[in-house]
Protein backbone atom coordinates (compact mmCIF):
# COMPACT_ATOMS: atom_id res chain seq x y z
CA UNK A 1 0.00 0.00 0.00
CA UNK A 2 1.27 3.48 -0.81
CA UNK A 3 1.94 5.64 2.23
CA UNK A 4 -0.84 8.21 2.66
CA UNK A 5 1.57 11.15 2.45
CA UNK A 6 2.35 10.36 -1.19
CA UNK A 7 -1.38 10.42 -1.96
CA UNK A 8 -4.09 12.92 -1.25
CA UNK A 9 -6.36 12.26 1.69
CA UNK A 10 -9.89 12.77 0.34
CA UNK A 11 -12.51 13.81 2.90
CA UNK A 12 -16.16 14.21 1.94
CA UNK A 13 -18.40 16.46 4.04
CA UNK A 14 -21.85 14.89 3.79
CA UNK A 15 -25.27 15.07 5.34
CA UNK A 16 -28.41 15.03 3.22
CA UNK A 17 -30.06 17.32 5.75
CA UNK A 18 -29.65 20.99 4.83
CA UNK A 19 -28.61 23.68 7.29
CA UNK A 20 -26.25 21.61 9.44
CA UNK A 21 -23.09 23.56 8.66
CA UNK A 22 -21.86 21.32 5.86
CA UNK A 23 -20.57 24.00 3.48
CA UNK A 24 -19.28 26.09 6.39
CA UNK A 25 -17.31 23.04 7.50
CA UNK A 26 -16.00 22.26 4.01
CA UNK A 27 -14.78 25.84 3.48
CA UNK A 28 -13.27 26.30 6.92
CA UNK A 29 -11.72 22.86 7.34
CA UNK A 30 -10.04 23.31 3.93
CA UNK A 31 -8.89 26.85 4.83
CA UNK A 32 -7.59 25.73 8.24
CA UNK A 33 -5.61 22.87 6.69
CA UNK A 34 -4.20 25.40 4.22
CA UNK A 35 -3.35 27.76 7.10
CA UNK A 36 -1.33 24.87 8.55
CA UNK A 37 0.57 24.91 5.23
CA UNK A 38 -0.97 21.68 3.94
CA UNK A 39 -1.71 21.85 0.21
CA UNK A 40 -5.48 21.60 0.06
CA UNK A 41 -8.07 21.41 -2.70
CA UNK A 42 -11.70 22.29 -1.97
CA UNK A 43 -14.04 20.54 -4.42
CA UNK A 44 -17.54 22.01 -4.70
CA UNK A 45 -20.14 19.55 -5.99
CA UNK A 46 -23.22 21.48 -4.83
CA UNK A 47 -25.14 23.29 -7.63
CA UNK A 48 -25.70 26.19 -5.21
CA UNK A 49 -21.90 26.65 -5.37
CA UNK A 50 -21.72 28.23 -1.90
CA UNK A 51 -18.30 26.72 -1.18
CA UNK A 52 -17.02 28.37 -4.38
CA UNK A 53 -18.34 31.85 -3.55
CA UNK A 54 -17.45 31.32 0.12
CA UNK A 55 -13.74 31.34 -0.75
CA UNK A 56 -14.18 34.39 -3.01
CA UNK A 57 -14.05 32.58 -6.35
CA UNK A 58 -16.13 33.38 -9.43
CA UNK A 59 -15.55 30.48 -11.83
CA UNK A 60 -14.80 31.27 -15.47
CA UNK A 61 -17.40 30.03 -17.94
CA UNK A 62 -17.00 26.43 -18.96
CA UNK A 63 -14.31 25.53 -16.41
CA UNK A 64 -16.06 24.01 -13.40
CA UNK A 65 -16.66 20.64 -11.78
CA UNK A 66 -19.57 20.23 -14.22
CA UNK A 67 -17.23 20.07 -17.24
CA UNK A 68 -14.91 17.75 -15.29
CA UNK A 69 -17.68 15.26 -14.45
CA UNK A 70 -19.95 15.55 -17.50
CA UNK A 71 -17.50 16.34 -20.29
CA UNK A 72 -14.36 14.67 -18.96
CA UNK A 73 -12.31 17.89 -18.75
CA UNK A 74 -8.97 17.49 -16.97
CA UNK A 75 -9.51 18.90 -13.45
CA UNK A 76 -6.20 20.78 -13.70
CA UNK A 77 -7.88 23.05 -16.27
CA UNK A 78 -10.69 23.97 -13.90
CA UNK A 79 -8.82 24.36 -10.58
CA UNK A 80 -8.45 27.96 -9.38
CA UNK A 81 -6.13 29.40 -6.73
CA UNK A 82 -7.80 31.27 -3.88
CA UNK A 83 -6.67 34.28 -1.88
CA UNK A 84 -5.02 31.85 0.58
CA UNK A 85 -1.69 30.23 -0.21
CA UNK A 86 -1.99 26.41 -0.14
CA UNK A 87 -5.74 26.52 -0.92
CA UNK A 88 -7.21 25.89 -4.38
CA UNK A 89 -10.78 25.23 -5.42
CA UNK A 90 -12.48 23.13 -8.08
CA UNK A 91 -15.56 25.35 -8.45
CA UNK A 92 -19.22 24.48 -8.96
CA UNK A 93 -21.85 26.15 -11.11
CA UNK A 94 -25.66 26.13 -11.14
CA UNK A 95 -25.57 23.96 -14.30
CA UNK A 96 -24.67 21.02 -12.02
CA UNK A 97 -28.41 20.85 -11.37
CA UNK A 98 -28.75 18.96 -14.65
CA UNK A 99 -25.74 16.71 -14.09
CA UNK A 100 -27.67 14.05 -12.15
CA UNK A 101 -30.05 13.57 -15.09
CA UNK A 102 -27.36 13.84 -17.77
CA UNK A 103 -25.21 11.20 -16.09
CA UNK A 104 -27.92 8.71 -15.31
CA UNK A 105 -27.32 6.57 -18.41
CA UNK A 106 -23.53 6.86 -18.30
CA UNK A 107 -21.35 3.77 -17.86
CA UNK A 108 -19.44 3.75 -14.56
CA UNK A 109 -21.30 6.91 -13.62
CA UNK A 110 -20.48 6.58 -9.89
CA UNK A 111 -16.73 6.65 -10.63
CA UNK A 112 -16.49 9.94 -12.54
CA UNK A 113 -15.19 11.95 -9.57
CA UNK A 114 -12.79 9.19 -8.59
CA UNK A 115 -11.38 9.06 -12.14
CA UNK A 116 -11.01 12.86 -12.23
CA UNK A 117 -9.24 13.11 -8.86
CA UNK A 118 -6.78 10.36 -9.78
CA UNK A 119 -5.40 12.78 -12.40
CA UNK A 120 -4.24 15.14 -9.65
CA UNK A 121 -3.29 12.38 -7.20
CA UNK A 122 -0.16 13.59 -5.48
CA UNK A 123 -0.62 17.34 -5.89
CA UNK A 124 -2.58 17.97 -2.71
CA UNK A 125 -2.19 16.61 0.79
CA UNK A 126 -5.91 17.07 1.44
CA UNK A 127 -8.93 17.17 -0.85
CA UNK A 128 -12.14 18.30 0.87
CA UNK A 129 -15.39 17.73 -1.04
CA UNK A 130 -18.58 19.64 -0.29
CA UNK A 131 -21.74 17.74 -1.31
CA UNK A 132 -25.28 18.82 -2.13
CA UNK A 133 -27.84 18.21 0.64
CA UNK A 134 -29.14 15.00 -0.96
CA UNK A 135 -27.99 11.43 -1.46
CA UNK A 136 -28.09 11.62 -5.25
CA UNK A 137 -25.49 10.83 -7.88
CA UNK A 138 -23.20 13.78 -7.04
CA UNK A 139 -22.92 12.72 -3.39
CA UNK A 140 -22.48 9.11 -4.50
CA UNK A 141 -19.60 10.17 -6.76
CA UNK A 142 -17.95 11.99 -3.87
CA UNK A 143 -18.32 8.98 -1.54
CA UNK A 144 -16.92 6.64 -4.18
CA UNK A 145 -13.85 8.86 -4.59
CA UNK A 146 -13.25 9.45 -0.87
CA UNK A 147 -11.09 7.96 1.85
CA UNK A 148 -13.47 9.11 4.55
CA UNK A 149 -16.70 10.96 5.37
CA UNK A 150 -17.10 13.74 7.91
CA UNK A 151 -20.67 14.19 9.06
CA UNK A 152 -21.67 17.58 10.51
CA UNK A 153 -24.57 17.27 12.96
CA UNK A 154 -26.37 20.33 14.24
CA UNK A 155 -26.95 20.57 18.01
CA UNK A 156 -30.72 20.62 17.73
CA UNK A 157 -33.65 18.46 18.66
CA UNK A 158 -33.83 16.38 15.47
CA UNK A 159 -30.04 16.00 15.20
CA UNK A 160 -30.01 12.25 14.63
CA UNK A 161 -32.96 12.27 12.25
CA UNK A 162 -31.96 11.10 8.78
CA UNK A 163 -28.53 9.87 9.89
CA UNK A 164 -29.69 6.25 9.59
CA UNK A 165 -30.36 6.87 5.90
CA UNK A 166 -26.91 8.45 5.46
CA UNK A 167 -25.24 5.47 7.15
CA UNK A 168 -27.17 3.05 4.92
CA UNK A 169 -25.84 4.93 1.89
CA UNK A 170 -22.28 4.91 3.28
CA UNK A 171 -22.49 1.16 3.95
CA UNK A 172 -23.91 0.52 0.50
CA UNK A 173 -21.06 2.51 -1.10
CA UNK A 174 -18.57 0.59 1.05
CA UNK A 175 -20.05 -2.74 -0.04
CA UNK A 176 -20.46 -2.04 -3.73
CA UNK A 177 -18.29 0.89 -4.89
CA UNK A 178 -15.55 1.84 -2.42
CA UNK A 179 -14.46 -0.75 0.17
CA UNK A 180 -11.89 1.70 1.61
CA UNK A 181 -14.44 4.29 2.73
CA UNK A 182 -14.17 5.16 6.44
CA UNK A 183 -16.09 7.44 8.76
CA UNK A 184 -13.71 10.32 9.48
CA UNK A 185 -15.96 11.42 12.31
CA UNK A 186 -19.11 13.16 13.41
CA UNK A 187 -18.76 16.91 13.98
CA UNK A 188 -21.15 18.74 16.30
CA UNK A 189 -21.99 22.18 14.86
CA UNK A 190 -23.98 25.24 15.97
CA UNK A 191 -23.38 24.43 19.63
CA UNK A 192 -24.77 26.88 22.17
CA UNK A 193 -23.28 26.31 25.62
CA UNK A 194 -26.12 28.26 27.26
CA UNK A 195 -28.71 25.75 26.12
CA UNK A 196 -29.21 22.57 28.08
CA UNK A 197 -30.54 21.03 24.90
CA UNK A 198 -27.19 21.59 23.10
CA UNK A 199 -25.35 19.73 25.84
CA UNK A 200 -27.92 16.92 25.86
CA UNK A 201 -27.63 16.49 22.08
CA UNK A 202 -23.82 16.24 22.31
CA UNK A 203 -24.19 13.54 25.01
CA UNK A 204 -26.76 11.66 22.92
CA UNK A 205 -24.59 11.77 19.78
CA UNK A 206 -21.56 10.59 21.80
CA UNK A 207 -23.59 7.71 23.21
CA UNK A 208 -24.59 6.78 19.70
CA UNK A 209 -21.25 7.20 17.89
CA UNK A 210 -18.67 6.87 20.67
CA UNK A 211 -15.13 7.82 19.69
CA UNK A 212 -16.24 8.69 16.17
CA UNK A 213 -17.37 12.08 17.52
CA UNK A 214 -14.71 14.79 17.17
CA UNK A 215 -13.54 16.40 20.40
CA UNK A 216 -13.84 19.72 18.59
CA UNK A 217 -17.31 21.23 18.78
CA UNK A 218 -18.18 24.18 16.53
CA UNK A 219 -19.99 26.88 18.50
CA UNK A 220 -22.76 29.01 17.13
CA UNK A 221 -20.89 32.10 15.96
CA UNK A 222 -22.25 35.19 14.20
CA UNK A 223 -18.90 35.88 12.46
CA UNK A 224 -18.97 32.38 11.00
CA UNK A 225 -22.30 33.03 9.31
CA UNK A 226 -21.22 36.47 8.03
CA UNK A 227 -17.91 35.39 6.46
CA UNK A 228 -19.29 33.70 3.28
CA UNK A 229 -21.04 36.87 2.12
CA UNK A 230 -17.59 38.52 2.08
CA UNK A 231 -16.16 35.60 0.08
CA UNK A 232 -13.78 34.70 2.89
CA UNK A 233 -13.10 31.68 5.06
CA UNK A 234 -13.51 32.60 8.72
CA UNK A 235 -9.74 32.70 9.31
CA UNK A 236 -9.41 35.60 6.82
CA UNK A 237 -12.58 37.33 7.99
CA UNK A 238 -11.96 37.27 11.74
CA UNK A 239 -8.80 35.50 12.86
CA UNK A 240 -9.60 35.66 16.57
CA UNK A 241 -13.26 34.64 16.77
CA UNK A 242 -14.43 31.31 18.21
CA UNK A 243 -15.27 30.03 14.70
CA UNK A 244 -11.63 30.35 13.64
CA UNK A 245 -10.44 28.64 16.83
CA UNK A 246 -12.93 25.80 16.38
CA UNK A 247 -11.98 25.06 12.78
CA UNK A 248 -8.23 25.30 13.46
CA UNK A 249 -8.78 22.78 16.27
CA UNK A 250 -10.73 20.55 13.89
CA UNK A 251 -7.92 20.72 11.30
CA UNK A 252 -5.40 19.77 13.99
CA UNK A 253 -7.57 16.84 15.02
CA UNK A 254 -7.87 15.65 11.41
CA UNK A 255 -4.09 15.91 10.92
CA UNK A 256 -3.42 14.16 14.23
CA UNK A 257 -5.78 11.28 13.41
CA UNK A 258 -4.12 10.96 10.00
CA UNK A 259 -0.66 10.84 11.56
CA UNK A 260 -1.73 8.13 14.00
CA UNK A 261 -3.17 6.04 11.17
CA UNK A 262 0.06 6.34 9.20
CA UNK A 263 2.04 4.78 12.01
CA UNK A 264 2.31 1.03 12.13
CA UNK A 265 -0.47 -0.16 14.45
CA UNK A 266 1.62 -3.18 15.42
CA UNK A 267 4.20 -0.96 17.16
CA UNK A 268 2.63 0.11 20.44
CA UNK A 269 5.38 2.69 20.97
CA UNK A 270 4.25 4.57 17.85
CA UNK A 271 1.01 5.56 19.53
CA UNK A 272 2.48 6.06 23.00
CA UNK A 273 5.18 8.40 21.74
CA UNK A 274 8.06 6.04 22.58
CA UNK A 275 10.90 5.48 20.15
CA UNK A 276 11.47 2.32 18.18
CA UNK A 277 14.86 1.14 17.11
Amino acid sequence: MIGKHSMSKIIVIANQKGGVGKTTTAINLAASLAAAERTTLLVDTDPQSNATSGVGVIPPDGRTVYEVLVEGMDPKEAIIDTQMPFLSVLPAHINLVGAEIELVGREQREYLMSTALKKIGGQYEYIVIDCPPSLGLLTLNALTAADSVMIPVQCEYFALEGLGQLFNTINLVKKTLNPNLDIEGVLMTMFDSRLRLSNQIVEEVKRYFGDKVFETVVSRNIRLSEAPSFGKPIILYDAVCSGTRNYMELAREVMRRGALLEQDPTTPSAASGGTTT
Side-chain angles (χ1 to χ4, degrees), residues 15-22 133-134 154 156-162:
N15 190 334
Q16 75 275 26
K17 207 169 165 182
V20 296
K22 194 168 46 60
S134 71
Q154 189 179 352
E156 52 136 66
Y157 192 66
F158 295 112
L160 295 170
E161 200 183 68

Side-chain angles (χ1 to χ4, degrees), residues 40-42 52 55-60 63-64 75-84 87-91 124:
T40 305
L41 176 67
L42 175 61
T52 303
V55 291
V57 164
I58 298 164
R63 282 173 42 215
T64 69
K76 290 189 200 83
E77 291 179 39
I79 290 170
I80 298 173
D81 291 337
T82 71
Q83 53 203 327
M84 278 187 87
L87 180 62
S88 303
V89 65
L90 179 51
Y124 299 93

Side-chain angles (χ1 to χ4, degrees), residues 110-174:
E110 298 90 356
Y111 293 97
L112 297 167
M113 178 65 79
S114 180
T115 305
L117 294 183
K118 282 196 176 90
K119 295 177 185 167
I120 47 172
Q123 283 179 281
Y124 299 93
E125 286 173 79
Y126 289 95
I127 295 178
V128 177
I129 307 180
D130 187 32
C131 293
S134 71
L135 294 175
L137 195 50
L138 291 167
T139 299
L140 214 51
N141 255 279
L143 292 171
T144 303
D147 295 303
S148 62
V149 197
M150 183 182 291
I151 303 158
V153 172
Q154 189 179 352
C155 294
E156 52 136 66
Y157 192 66
F158 295 112
L160 295 170
E161 200 183 68
L163 283 185
Q165 200 187 348
L166 177 59
F167 275 90
N168 290 344
T169 302
I170 290 168
N171 287 329
L172 191 66
V173 168
K174 212 173 153 65

Side-chain angles (χ1 to χ4, degrees), residues 1-11 121-126 145-148 178 180-182 184 257-263:
M1 188 179 146
I2 303 170
K4 266 280 178 260
H5 43 265
S6 60
M7 301 279 284
S8 306
K9 161 101 188 215
I10 303 174
I11 303 173
Q123 283 179 281
Y124 299 93
E125 286 173 79
Y126 289 95
D147 295 303
S148 62
N178 179 4
N180 302 318
L181 186 63
D182 283 327
E184 183 72 27
R257 285 181 178 199
L260 284 174
L261 286 176
E262 261 184 33
Q263 291 169 341

Side-chain angles (χ1 to χ4, degrees), residues 56-72:
V57 164
I58 298 164
D61 274 356
R63 282 173 42 215
T64 69
V65 76
Y66 173 87
E67 284 75 22
V68 171
L69 294 178
V70 177
E71 295 166 12

Side-chain angles (χ1 to χ4, degrees), residues 25-61:
T25 296
I27 291 170
N28 292 303
L29 172 61
S32 299
L33 289 165
E37 302 195 344
R38 304 298 168 103
T39 45
T40 305
L41 176 67
L42 175 61
V43 179
D44 191 353
T45 65
D46 186 344
Q48 292 173 38
S49 60
N50 291 336
T52 303
S53 59
V55 291
V57 164
I58 298 164
D61 274 356

